[in-house]
Amino acid sequence: MNTIDANITLGELVNEKPACMSLLERLRLDYCCGGAQTLAEACARRGLDEHTVCAVLEALEETPAQAPELEELDWRDASLGELCDHIVERHHDGLRRELPRIEELLRTVVRVHGHGHAGLHDLQRTFVGMSEELLPHLELEERIFFPAARKLEADGTLVDEPLIEKHEHDHEHVGDSLTALRELASDYRTDGALCGTHRALLQALRSLEQDLHQHIHEENNVLLPRVRALNAAASPTADGRR
């Protein structure tokens, strides 16, 4: 069993040990937008004992099959093109299917139960707002950012830093929306579901959150750092010969 250092960042931890994602999700330790924070820092923010968390994470390595719902692949060695293709096929395509389905579930639940549960209207507004931000973001990635990343890898054409920063900013917005959705939906607990449709909505929102966490992790902690590293290597100031 390998010892886990509490000074490792959450992004590095998930890159090295993808099976940890399931536990981090349950502990509400933000490894996507908050991937630059160390495990110790994240535990302190959540009021968790870092030594206990490290011990549980180490034990998890012995039973990785406990988290079959999360993809356990290391994309650090893939080409940027392969990583971009994976993000589109695994995450973007799934979002385009799931966002309309969840919005329809929300409409039904609000129509049936909204008169007696005002918080459902806030949940609906927050979800629709996030969806309206996400869909153009996916288009921007597929039409501009991912092709730019592929070209950078192919011939050294630099990717504009403001474009990278915009993606990070967009991801922060999504992270804030996910936090708000979880609070409005009472941590997605289904024991208080108002009906079968409401239960299905809560389960769908929980799954969406989990997928978006993994999605943003793959971009913030794998794709964007690699783009920045290649940018630095290809920059005219990278060495005296350019």
Side-chain angles (χ1 to χ4, degrees):
M1 182 186 300
N2 296 322
T3 300
I4 291 178
D5 184 349
N7 292 313
I8 191 173
T9 68
L10 294 185
E12 292 170 337
L13 175 62
V14 171
N15 281 336
E16 294 179 9
K17 307 176 189 299
C20 291
M21 277 189 285
S22 182
L23 180 60
L24 296 181
E25 290 280 351
R26 292 197 296 273
L27 295 177
R28 305 276 298 280
L29 297 178
D30 180 11
Y31 62 85
C32 53
C33 295
Q37 64 185 326
T38 66
L39 177 60
E41 291 168 341
C43 288
R45 289 191 176 95
R46 292 283 296 149
L48 302 172
D49 180 73
E50 65 183 69
H51 303 293
T52 301
V53 173
C54 284
V56 175
L57 288 169
E58 290 162 4
L60 185 64
E61 288 191 88
E62 299 298 307
T63 53
Q66 289 179 356
E69 73 278 9
L70 282 170
E71 185 179 72
E72 297 183 5
L73 297 176
D74 187 343
W75 288 96
R76 290 174 295 176
D77 295 328
S79 70
L80 289 186
E82 289 171 333
L83 179 54
C84 291
D85 288 343
H86 158 74
I87 290 170
V88 171
E89 294 167 7
R90 170 66 184 259
H91 301 297
H92 288 196
D93 291 350
L95 279 171
R96 290 187 173 106
R97 291 190 301 270
E98 279 299 288
L99 292 175
R101 185 178 79 87
I102 294 173
E103 189 167 351
E104 181 59 31
L105 288 171
L106 265 167
R107 277 196 293 267
T108 299
V109 171
V110 169
R111 185 180 69 249
V112 175
H113 301 287
H115 61 283
H117 299 83
L120 291 173
H121 294 278
D122 295 331
L123 182 67
Q124 184 180 41
R125 280 191 293 270
T126 301
F127 176 82
V128 170
M130 183 182 74
S131 183
E132 289 176 347
E133 289 185 355
L134 262 174
L135 292 173
H137 177 80
L138 304 186
E139 292 294 328
L140 176 67
E141 286 188 337
E142 292 173 20
R143 290 189 298 104
I144 298 176
F145 184 66
F146 289 174
R150 290 185 174 96
K151 189 165 179 57
L152 168 65
E153 187 172 52
D155 62 19
T157 300
L158 299 181
V159 177
D160 290 339
E161 178 63 24
L163 182 60
I164 301 173
E165 292 174 353
K166 173 173 171 47
H167 278 73
E168 290 174 327
H169 182 69
D170 287 352
H171 295 162
E172 288 177 7
H173 267 268
V174 174
D176 291 342
S177 296
L178 289 174
T179 298
L181 286 171
R182 177 174 277 276
E183 291 175 355
L184 289 166
S186 301
D187 281 336
Y188 304 130
R189 294 193 301 269
T190 56
D191 52 350
L194 302 169
C195 64
T197 303
H198 189 214
R199 182 175 295 105
L201 170 65
L202 295 173
Q203 292 168 341
L205 285 171
R206 182 191 294 274
S207 295
L208 177 72
E209 177 192 69
Q210 183 173 289
D211 181 74
L212 277 168
H213 282 167
Q214 185 177 352
H215 179 176
I216 294 172
H217 158 71
E218 289 171 357
E219 295 193 11
N220 276 15
N221 302 319
V222 184
L223 179 61
L224 299 186
R226 287 185 59 190
V227 167
R228 281 198 167 106
L230 285 175
N231 257 359
S235 171
T237 59
D239 60 60
R241 294 171 296 175
R242 291 194 176 102

